[in-house]
Amino acid sequence: MQSADKPITLQIANRKYARKKIVAIEAAALVFAEKGFHGATTQDIASEMGIQQGSLYYYFKSKEQALQEVCEYGFENYVERMQKIGSKEQPFEAKMLAIVTSHLSNYRSKNNAMKVHNDQRLYLPVERRALIKKLGSEYRELLEGVLKEGIDEGVLRPDIDTHFIAYSIIGICNSWGGNLVRDDALDLFETIEQCSDLILYGTLIPTKRNKHEK
Amino acid sequence: MQSADKPITLQIANRKYARKKIVAIEAAALVFAEKGFHGATTQDIASEMGIQQGSLYYYFKSKEQALQEVCEYGFENYVERMQKIGSKEQPFEAKMLAIVTSHLSNYRSKNNAMKVHNDQRLYLPVERRALIKKLGSEYRELLEGVLKEGIDEGVLRPDIDTHFIAYSIIGICNSWGGNLVRDDALDLFETIEQCSDLILYGTLIPTKRNKHEK
Amino acid sequence: MQSADKPITLQIANRKYARKKIVAIEAAALVFAEKGFHGATTQDIASEMGIQQGSLYYYFKSKEQALQEVCEYGFENYVERMQKIGSKEQPFEAKMLAIVTSHLSNYRSKNNAMKVHNDQRLYLPVERRALIKKLGSEYRELLEGVLKEGIDEGVLRPDIDTHFIAYSIIGICNSWGGNLVRDDALDLFETIEQCSDLILYGTLIPTKRNKHEK
Amino acid sequence: MQSADKPITLQIANRKYARKKIVAIEAAALVFAEKGFHGATTQDIASEMGIQQGSLYYYFKSKEQALQEVCEYGFENYVERMQKIGSKEQPFEAKMLAIVTSHLSNYRSKNNAMKVHNDQRLYLPVERRALIKKLGSEYRELLEGVLKEGIDEGVLRPDIDTHFIAYSIIGICNSWGGNLVRDDALDLFETIEQCSDLILYGTLIPTKRNKHEK
DNA sequence: AATGAATGAGCATTCATTCAT
DNA sequence: CATGAATGAATGCTCATTCAT
């Protein structure tokens, strides 16, 4: 399954490099998540990888570049997953559960990178944020699309502001995502269920809702 | 109403100092909010105040001390207000509106300090966080108390986890608070209304809620 | 004789700073002259001044800035002196002597700065070289002007290329200037005399010059 | 004409190595000429050669070694050519033209190496400069010899200081050599003519020279 | 009450050099 | 012959902090 245009040794070298680059990104993610971008040192990252400080520059051109790559890594596959969720035929409640699951489970697999993306991406100069911004917008727009569909299907209240709700969903998820990263004991599935429950049903007892209806 | 044990000139001096100290805290809050604790320099804060870098140490013993004071300043009166809200006799919906209002309007008045409290307080060494932690816990516990009352009164669904919901409310509010600080054009009252609406009623159309009930 | 618009203490502070800045420039000049711009370290310069490395940045914003200031310092008064020489009424031979004297004696007073200007200025990015370039051009043009006058007055051979000769004079002077800096024992006045003698009369015996005339 | 004690394949390998070594020296010369010894990196040289940084050490034991070899390469054949010029029977004027031609034309063929020799050789530790120094002294002494002969033959003014004039000739040539390297448009032969003209005849009109004679 | 000056430790980054493959 | 990978020391620069005035 090797492409014919490159010698095998080079492919191996590339693969080796690529593997270690992932290690580098994850080390950077861990350190940035714990200490913040400016509070972290390249020495911290290098130590985390078990290499010398200077050697880090074989993998990142600069500390800023490292932050950028961590943020992008944290968002990888994110949009795709939202696309899949949106395109499937299933009741709205199931979609919402899938959305929250996708968002929160990411915190457990690429936990640090996501946290870094949320908390530290603004320390990047705008030039470096182009891709990250694009992905974030796409994500939110897809989410808004799901919500609009929900309204069209007569499942969601037509008076909600999809833009506002989309932001709020992301806000709740990020808020709990932070807790998930900080606290290993927190149960992922319980958290997912409670989040989607809150988003769907709010806190009031249904029968009391008559008050709300005009 | 001046205390008799200090000469008037000193009192005036103190008053002047106190006034400028507030300026210092707000300058620090602004800078920390924009650049993060580690990304900000004492020079930045001094410039913001229009004084020399060295003179800053007349107001703060250290940069860390400044962060601590900003965080505490950001939380001032917070707990008190929650206490008042909890003790008043009023329908749950009104209480929730009051809670969200208290939380979010703070972002517009002490905006930067609150943002700093949320985003940067973890960069303080634990020993400096004692007061801040205590205030935060009290706040959350009061909020949980309000929720429990709601359940006892038969207004809130008894199956909700008050701990989880309290955290979520704070999460949504902080998330939107960040937007309020970042985006001056965002309408405060509309945001407040939509937040409490989401928390109370969720997103589904009431009649569809039958699905949820067993 | 103090200007009325600034408090005396500030004037003193400025004067103190200005004095130490000269010390800084001369220290930098010495170090750059000895080791070259890239071979010199900011530690070297600080040591030469008897201060800590970090303190150097109180006087120079960057190492490059230091080089720029050294180069400009090395050329200070240079153009003015050439202007004076050109405007005086005196035989051409005397003017040439004055020119060489001006150029070479500078190597003994601001010796290192001049050497640095000649050898290292090209390591400055073009933006930083604007003033230095302008001064250099003015200097050469003034020199060419003197040569043209010499031709007009019938003293200089009309077949010489004033542009070429100006460059050559500067070349000879810089070449000997380098020796003057390197070798303290070298006699300044003898060097001056021999330089202007060579420029004026060449090396051939006059009577042999008939060969040259057509 | 192959020496019998080495297998042909090795000789071919050596020849190949020698050819590439020249390439290496010229790459180093170019880079050193442009950026200075300390301003140049081994990466720069390797890039210039189209090889990897680490591979450079196959051709040079160290960066310093590279500088040494560039300087020596720049001076190769130099002394020999001066010897030839000195030993030929020809009028002094012709000799001077030959000397300047030899010196300046070298700047166009081995241009960078010569420039490096002139500007950067002092960054070599003394022990590495032995050969270079010896060659330089020989060169200057040969030149002085030619000048002395000129005096003995009654062509040169007996009052000139041959040591001073030799240095001056080298100074003028190096000064113009730098220009030749920097400015490709500069005409080599014109420059040569004007240089030797200046050295021989100075700038004054012959008839005016009476003033000079006592 | 404020400042100019200095400090010294820390940090990101560069780079000559080495070496197993 | 050549390279990828790594090293470790050095270096320019920043910055919190101090202190005499």
Side-chain angles (χ1 to χ4, degrees):
Chain A
M1 196 83 84
Q2 281 156 347
S3 56
D5 54 344
K6 278 183 185 176
I8 290 176
T9 54
L10 193 62
Q11 284 187 36
I12 289 170
N14 280 348
R15 220 180 294 149
K16 200 176 151 198
Y17 180 87
R19 224 180 298 133
K20 195 137 191 191
K21 174 98 190 204
I22 300 285
V23 173
I25 289 177
E26 283 176 350
L30 173 65
V31 173
F32 287 154
E34 270 175 11
K35 308 198 169 184
F37 175 64
H38 286 115
T41 69
T42 54
Q43 176 63 65
D44 291 333
I45 303 172
S47 296
E48 186 62 34
M49 288 181 68
I51 60 173
Q52 292 306 111
Q53 191 195 19
S55 309
L56 194 65
Y57 285 74
Y58 190 68
Y59 297 99
F60 297 119
K61 265 184 83 174
S62 71
K63 196 185 166 191
E64 243 178 23
Q65 179 69 26
L67 176 56
Q68 183 181 342
E69 294 195 26
V70 167
C71 289
E72 289 169 359
Y73 175 78
F75 229 96
E76 232 176 41
N77 304 325
Y78 228 65
V79 177
E80 284 174 59
R81 252 151 47 192
M82 181 64 94
Q83 272 170 326
K84 268 191 207 155
I85 292 168
S87 61
K88 265 191 198 147
E89 280 292 330
Q90 51 184 347
F92 182 80
E93 286 91 337
K95 276 188 185 171
M96 184 54 60
L97 192 69
I99 287 166
V100 175
T101 302
S102 160
H103 200 121
L104 286 185
S105 65
N106 208 35
Y107 269 98
R108 274 280 151 86
S109 53
K110 296 192 174 181
N111 42 64
N112 293 306
M114 266 309 283
K115 188 163 154 39
V116 170
H117 169 273
N118 287 330
D119 299 347
Q120 315 285 331
R121 72 171 181 280
L122 289 174
Y123 298 138
L124 280 175
V126 252
E127 320 84 86
R128 282 190 184 277
R129 245 163 25 211
L131 175 56
I132 296 167
K133 250 180 180 160
K134 212 193 84 197
L135 292 173
S137 296
E138 280 182 46
Y139 187 75
R140 208 196 53 249
E141 280 158 21
L142 284 168
L143 178 49
E144 285 187 50
V146 172
L147 294 171
K148 275 175 196 151
E149 263 182 41
I151 295 175
D152 293 344
E153 292 167 10
V155 186
L156 286 194
R157 292 157 45 201
D159 61 324
I160 62 167
D161 176 339
T162 56
H163 188 75
F164 170 86
I165 297 292
Y167 258 114
S168 298
I169 290 170
I170 294 171
I172 295 176
C173 286
N174 284 342
S175 172
W176 279 103
N179 291 340
L180 283 167
V181 171
R182 228 175 290 141
D183 179 4
D184 273 335
L186 199 55
D187 187 81
L188 174 61
F189 294 105
E190 188 131 345
T191 307
I192 289 171
E193 279 205 351
Q194 298 202 82
C195 279
S196 68
D197 183 82
L198 173 64
I199 294 161
L200 291 171
Y201 308 109
T203 51
L204 293 190
I205 287 186
T207 53
K208 300 284 170 184
R209 297 212 49 184
N210 306 334
K211 283 181 189 173
H212 182 63
E213 293 166 78
K214 291 135 231 176
Chain B
M1 198 75 90
Q2 282 156 347
S3 55
D5 55 345
K6 281 186 184 173
I8 290 176
T9 51
L10 193 62
Q11 286 185 35
I12 290 170
N14 281 348
R15 220 179 294 147
K16 204 175 145 197
Y17 177 87
R19 225 179 300 132
K20 196 138 190 190
K21 173 94 190 206
I22 300 288
V23 174
I25 289 176
E26 284 177 348
L30 173 65
V31 173
F32 287 154
E34 270 175 9
K35 307 196 170 186
F37 175 64
H38 286 115
T41 69
T42 54
Q43 175 64 63
D44 292 332
I45 303 172
S47 296
E48 186 61 35
M49 290 181 66
I51 61 174
Q52 291 306 111
Q53 193 188 13
S55 312
L56 194 66
Y57 284 73
Y58 187 68
Y59 299 100
F60 299 117
K61 258 186 80 179
S62 72
K63 196 185 169 192
E64 245 177 21
Q65 179 69 26
L67 176 55
Q68 186 182 340
E69 295 195 27
V70 168
C71 288
E72 289 169 0
Y73 175 78
F75 229 95
E76 232 176 42
N77 306 325
Y78 227 65
V79 178
E80 284 173 61
R81 253 154 44 194
M82 182 62 94
Q83 273 169 328
K84 267 190 210 154
I85 292 168
S87 60
K88 263 190 201 150
E89 280 291 329
Q90 52 182 347
F92 183 81
E93 286 92 337
K95 278 188 185 171
M96 184 53 61
L97 193 68
I99 287 166
V100 175
T101 303
S102 161
H103 201 120
L104 286 185
S105 65
N106 206 37
Y107 269 99
R108 272 281 150 88
S109 52
K110 296 193 174 179
N111 41 62
N112 292 307
M114 265 310 282
K115 188 162 154 42
V116 171
H117 169 272
N118 287 331
D119 298 348
Q120 315 285 330
R121 71 172 181 280
L122 289 174
Y123 297 139
L124 280 175
V126 251
E127 63 275 16
R128 279 188 185 277
R129 245 163 23 211
L131 175 57
I132 295 167
K133 251 180 180 161
K134 213 193 82 194
L135 292 172
S137 296
E138 280 181 48
Y139 186 76
R140 207 196 54 247
E141 281 159 19
L142 284 167
L143 178 50
E144 285 186 48
V146 172
L147 294 171
K148 276 174 196 150
E149 263 181 43
I151 294 176
D152 293 344
E153 291 167 11
V155 185
L156 286 194
R157 291 156 47 200
D159 61 324
I160 63 167
D161 175 339
T162 56
H163 187 76
F164 171 85
I165 298 293
Y167 257 115
S168 297
I169 291 171
I170 294 172
I172 296 177
C173 287
N174 284 341
S175 173
W176 277 102
N179 290 340
L180 283 167
V181 170
R182 227 175 292 141
D183 179 3
D184 273 333
L186 198 56
D187 187 79
L188 175 60
F189 295 104
E190 185 131 347
T191 306
I192 288 171
E193 279 205 351
Q194 297 202 84
C195 278
S196 67
D197 183 83
L198 173 64
I199 294 161
L200 290 172
Y201 309 109
T203 51
L204 292 191
I205 286 185
T207 54
K208 300 283 169 183
R209 297 215 46 185
N210 307 334
K211 281 183 190 171
H212 181 63
E213 294 166 79
K214 290 136 229 174
Chain C
M1 198 80 87
Q2 281 154 348
S3 57
D5 54 345
K6 279 184 185 175
I8 290 176
T9 52
L10 193 64
Q11 285 186 35
I12 289 168
N14 281 348
R15 218 179 296 148
K16 201 175 148 198
Y17 179 88
R19 224 179 300 133
K20 194 136 189 191
K21 174 95 188 207
I22 300 285
V23 174
I25 290 176
E26 283 175 350
L30 174 64
V31 173
F32 287 153
E34 271 176 8
K35 307 197 169 185
F37 175 64
H38 286 115
T41 71
T42 54
Q43 176 63 64
D44 292 334
I45 302 173
S47 296
E48 186 63 34
M49 287 180 70
I51 61 173
Q52 293 304 112
Q53 190 200 19
S55 308
L56 193 65
Y57 285 74
Y58 190 68
Y59 296 99
F60 298 117
K61 267 184 82 173
S62 70
K63 195 185 168 191
E64 243 179 22
Q65 179 70 25
L67 176 56
Q68 185 182 342
E69 294 195 28
V70 167
C71 288
E72 289 170 0
Y73 176 78
F75 229 96
E76 232 177 41
N77 305 324
Y78 227 65
V79 178
E80 284 174 60
R81 253 152 46 193
M82 182 62 95
Q83 271 169 327
K84 267 190 208 155
I85 292 169
S87 61
K88 265 190 198 148
E89 280 290 329
Q90 52 183 347
F92 182 82
E93 286 91 337
K95 278 187 182 170
M96 184 52 61
L97 193 67
I99 286 165
V100 175
T101 301
S102 160
H103 201 122
L104 287 186
S105 65
N106 208 35
Y107 269 98
R108 273 283 150 86
S109 53
K110 298 192 173 181
N111 41 64
N112 291 307
M114 266 309 283
K115 186 162 154 42
V116 171
H117 170 273
N118 286 331
D119 299 347
Q120 316 283 330
R121 73 171 181 280
L122 288 175
Y123 297 139
L124 281 175
V126 252
E127 322 84 85
R128 284 190 182 277
R129 251 175 4 224
L131 176 57
I132 295 167
K133 251 181 180 160
K134 212 194 84 195
L135 292 172
S137 296
E138 281 182 47
Y139 186 76
R140 207 197 54 246
E141 279 158 21
L142 284 167
L143 177 49
E144 285 187 49
V146 172
L147 294 171
K148 276 173 196 151
E149 263 183 43
I151 295 176
D152 292 344
E153 290 167 12
V155 185
L156 286 194
R157 292 156 47 199
D159 61 325
I160 62 168
D161 174 339
T162 57
H163 189 75
F164 170 86
I165 297 292
Y167 257 115
S168 298
I169 291 171
I170 294 171
I172 296 176
C173 286
N174 285 341
S175 172
W176 278 102
N179 290 340
L180 283 167
V181 171
R182 226 175 294 142
D183 179 4
D184 273 335
L186 198 57
D187 187 80
L188 174 62
F189 294 104
E190 186 131 345
T191 308
I192 290 171
E193 278 207 350
Q194 298 201 83
C195 278
S196 68
D197 182 83
L198 172 64
I199 294 161
L200 290 171
Y201 307 110
T203 50
L204 292 190
I205 286 185
T207 52
K208 299 284 169 183
R209 297 212 49 182
N210 305 333
K211 284 181 187 172
H212 182 65
E213 294 166 78
K214 292 136 230 173
Chain D
M1 196 83 85
Q2 282 157 345
S3 56
D5 54 347
K6 282 185 185 175
I8 288 176
T9 53
L10 192 64
Q11 285 186 34
I12 289 169
N14 281 348
R15 220 180 294 149
K16 203 176 149 196
Y17 177 86
R19 226 180 296 133
K20 196 140 189 190
K21 172 95 187 205
I22 299 286
V23 173
I25 290 177
E26 283 176 350
L30 173 65
V31 173
F32 287 153
E34 269 175 10
K35 309 198 168 185
F37 175 63
H38 287 113
T41 70
T42 54
Q43 176 63 62
D44 292 332
I45 302 172
S47 296
E48 185 62 37
M49 288 180 69
I51 61 174
Q52 292 307 110
Q53 194 187 14
S55 312
L56 195 66
Y57 284 73
Y58 185 70
Y59 298 101
F60 299 116
K61 257 187 81 179
S62 72
K63 196 184 169 194
E64 244 178 21
Q65 179 69 25
L67 175 56
Q68 184 181 341
E69 294 194 28
V70 168
C71 288
E72 289 169 359
Y73 175 78
F75 229 96
E76 235 176 40
N77 304 327
Y78 227 66
V79 178
E80 284 173 61
R81 251 151 49 193
M82 182 61 93
Q83 272 170 327
K84 268 191 208 155
I85 292 169
S87 61
K88 263 190 199 150
E89 279 294 328
Q90 51 182 346
F92 182 81
E93 286 91 338
K95 277 186 184 170
M96 183 55 59
L97 193 68
I99 287 166
V100 174
T101 302
S102 159
H103 200 120
L104 286 185
S105 64
N106 208 37
Y107 269 98
R108 273 282 151 86
S109 51
K110 297 193 174 179
N111 41 62
N112 292 307
M114 264 311 280
K115 189 163 155 38
V116 171
H117 169 273
N118 287 330
D119 298 348
Q120 316 284 331
R121 71 172 181 279
L122 289 175
Y123 297 139
L124 280 175
V126 251
E127 64 274 19
R128 280 188 185 279
R129 242 159 31 209
L131 174 57
I132 296 166
K133 249 181 181 160
K134 212 194 82 194
L135 292 172
S137 296
E138 279 182 47
Y139 186 75
R140 206 196 55 248
E141 279 158 20
L142 283 167
L143 176 51
E144 284 187 51
V146 172
L147 293 171
K148 276 175 196 149
E149 263 181 43
I151 294 176
D152 292 345
E153 291 168 11
V155 185
L156 287 194
R157 290 156 48 200
D159 61 325
I160 63 167
D161 175 339
T162 55
H163 187 76
F164 170 86
I165 297 292
Y167 257 114
S168 298
I169 291 171
I170 294 171
I172 295 176
C173 287
N174 284 342
S175 172
W176 278 103
N179 290 341
L180 283 167
V181 171
R182 226 176 292 143
D183 178 4
D184 272 336
L186 198 56
D187 188 82
L188 174 61
F189 294 103
E190 187 132 343
T191 306
I192 289 171
E193 278 206 351
Q194 295 201 88
C195 278
S196 68
D197 182 83
L198 173 64
I199 293 160
L200 291 171
Y201 307 109
T203 51
L204 293 190
I205 287 184
T207 52
K208 298 284 169 182
R209 296 213 48 183
N210 305 334
K211 282 182 190 173
H212 181 64
E213 295 168 76
K214 290 137 232 175

